[in-house]
Amino acid sequence: MSEVTNTVRFVLDGRIVEARGVRRTTTVLDYLREHLHRTGTKEGCAEGDCGACVVLVGELSEDGERVHYVPVNSCLQLLPTLDGKSLKTVESLQRADGCLHPVQEAMVACHGSQCGFCTPGIVMSLAGLLQTVRQPGRAEVNDALSGNLCRCTGYRPIVDAALQAAQAPAETLRIDDAADRPLLRQIRRASEPLYGLEGDIVTQPVLRTRKGSEFVSPATVDELADYLLKNPEATLLAGSTEIGLKVNKNFERPERIAYVGQVAELRRVQADARSWRIGAAVPLAEVQTLLAEAYPDFAEVLRRFGSPPIRSTATLAGNIANGSPIGDSMPCLMALDATLLLRRGTQTRELPLTQFYTGQKRNVLQSGEFIEAVRLPAAARRGVSRAQGQQALRAGHLGHTVRTALPARGRALCRGARGLQRPGAVTRAGAADRGGARGSRARGRDGRRARRRRGRELPAA
């Protein structure tokens, strides 16, 4: 985009949508419901936990011949991040001849919906799964549903519907985006920054208000570094899983937002014999796949970190920079001797993660400095063993693991690490699939009865 048009352009079902004059903090969900009147996408929690708002966001491949889709919580995703991309909602799944998508047909046939409020999000999660996994097993279906809460139907018929839909012909499962691809090529964002007459970088915002507030989407790491030097107070945005929460719950409106999702250098993983260099904009889902063989316990932590819509957008660097006391990745990263590559303008430095924090949500980043990449040793030297990791996962935290695995200087920073799993349906789906939910309720009733009996048998004081 070569000029300030105050327009977010994205492709929706074979047409280019031009969102003009919207706020920089407008969410995808609000725009869908209030402007496009696509009310199939629902709002439940507005914090990325219930999954009623799941949509699919697509990006054109480098050769321009394919669209890669990921599930996204539209309640958290800010609309300007869609500039140059495509969007699919539950309404998009219906064929031109009126036929439903196989997932929708299977949900009807297997009685997978009762009140129906959560159904659109569930359908989109399953449709997204079947774009990448042709024949998923129950475990893969359960994981795909881990970000979708259902209070009345139960998960067994939903899982059955997913497995039944997977038997449909591949061409009926595939999302029809033939009309989208040429339009995506037309609105594709520039891969190089603009330069002024004197050779200085000119960052053109996607949106800018009359008061000077703006949303920018740099194309290169040089452009991002230059912008942050000139605007050190700008808010960095990657997956929007934290900023979107602040927008929805705290009604925050950052004056300047710099989106890193279009910076190609930050979306790469570079590997050599000694380490992985994980760019600051690489989603957690890619990191999980990368580490599955070398660090299976860490990969399991990332799986429990959040649901697929969270993992497809949230980033490792974002989790580190946010510095939450319940941040899930930091204890493992410290145990594995991770280091951070920091950049300010043209200057870079490398710092051990154990030296990054100075307190709760406080760190050593200088004005205009940002995390460019996370470096992780390819061979574990102080890694979390499988036995330790499994014990920690069962216990629900990594506290005792990091105390034995971390250098002394890093232990105090991790004592507060809790809760490897965001509120979601990972265990709910698994329990319902095995019939365990009913058993859990029964065991709870038996336990309460036993406690009441013991209370009655206590001698009088």
Side-chain angles (χ1 to χ4, degrees), residues 3-6 8 22-26 78 80-81 201-218 223-224 226-237 243 253-259:
E3 58 182 6
V4 182
T5 62
N6 272 343
V8 179
V22 296
R23 293 197 313 264
R24 62 197 175 282
T25 53
T26 298
L78 302 188
T81 64
I201 296 178
V202 179
T203 300
Q204 295 288 354
V206 178
L207 298 175
R208 177 184 285 162
T209 67
R210 294 177 180 175
K211 296 181 179 179
S213 301
E214 60 187 13
F215 184 106
V216 302
S217 183
E223 184 179 5
L224 174 64
D226 179 78
Y227 182 81
L228 290 179
L229 269 184
K230 297 173 182 175
N231 303 277
E233 79 287 355
T235 298
L236 279 176
L237 176 70
I243 302 301
R253 301 289 183 265
E255 184 176 350
R256 287 182 171 84
I257 300 176
Y259 177 52

Side-chain angles (χ1 to χ4, degrees), residues 393-440:
L393 291 174
R394 287 194 296 270
H397 62 85
L398 276 178
H400 64 279
T401 302
V402 297
R403 280 196 294 273
T404 60
L406 278 179
R409 65 180 180 274
R411 293 176 191 168
L413 301 178
C414 303
R415 287 174 186 150
R418 293 290 188 272
L420 298 176
Q421 182 176 328
R422 289 174 60 94
V426 174
T427 55
R428 295 183 183 91
D433 188 38
R434 297 188 300 271
R438 188 180 297 108
S440 298

Side-chain angles (χ1 to χ4, degrees), residues 129-274:
L129 171 68
L130 294 173
Q131 301 308 300
T132 56
V133 183
R134 182 63 187 87
Q135 292 290 337
R138 283 184 176 270
E140 291 168 303
V141 172
N142 286 345
D143 187 61
L145 292 172
S146 63
N148 297 93
L149 301 186
C150 179
R151 296 293 299 273
C152 54
T153 304
Y155 288 91
R156 175 166 292 177
I158 297 173
V159 173
D160 289 344
L163 297 176
Q164 178 174 310
Q167 305 306 313
E171 60 272 14
T172 63
L173 292 171
R174 193 177 303 113
I175 291 177
D176 184 10
D177 50 27
D180 295 347
R181 292 193 291 274
L183 299 179
L184 284 170
R185 289 191 286 269
Q186 179 180 335
I187 66 170
R188 177 178 258 173
R189 290 187 56 82
S191 58
E192 294 294 334
L194 293 176
Y195 292 90
L197 294 177
E198 298 181 359
D200 55 323
I201 296 178
V202 179
T203 300
Q204 295 288 354
V206 178
L207 298 175
R208 177 184 285 162
T209 67
R210 294 177 180 175
K211 296 181 179 179
S213 301
E214 60 187 13
F215 184 106
V216 302
S217 183
T220 67
V221 70
D222 289 340
E223 184 179 5
L224 174 64
D226 179 78
Y227 182 81
L228 290 179
L229 269 184
K230 297 173 182 175
N231 303 277
E233 79 287 355
T235 298
L236 279 176
L237 176 70
S240 197
T241 56
E242 177 71 16
I243 302 301
L245 197 62
K246 292 180 179 179
V247 167
N248 289 339
K249 300 301 183 180
N250 296 341
F251 306 106
E252 294 187 12
R253 301 289 183 265
E255 184 176 350
R256 287 182 171 84
I257 300 176
Y259 177 52
V260 302
Q262 298 287 357
V263 181
E265 299 101 315
L266 299 185
R267 299 181 65 177
R268 296 182 187 139
V269 175
Q270 297 174 331
D272 56 36
R274 300 183 58 188

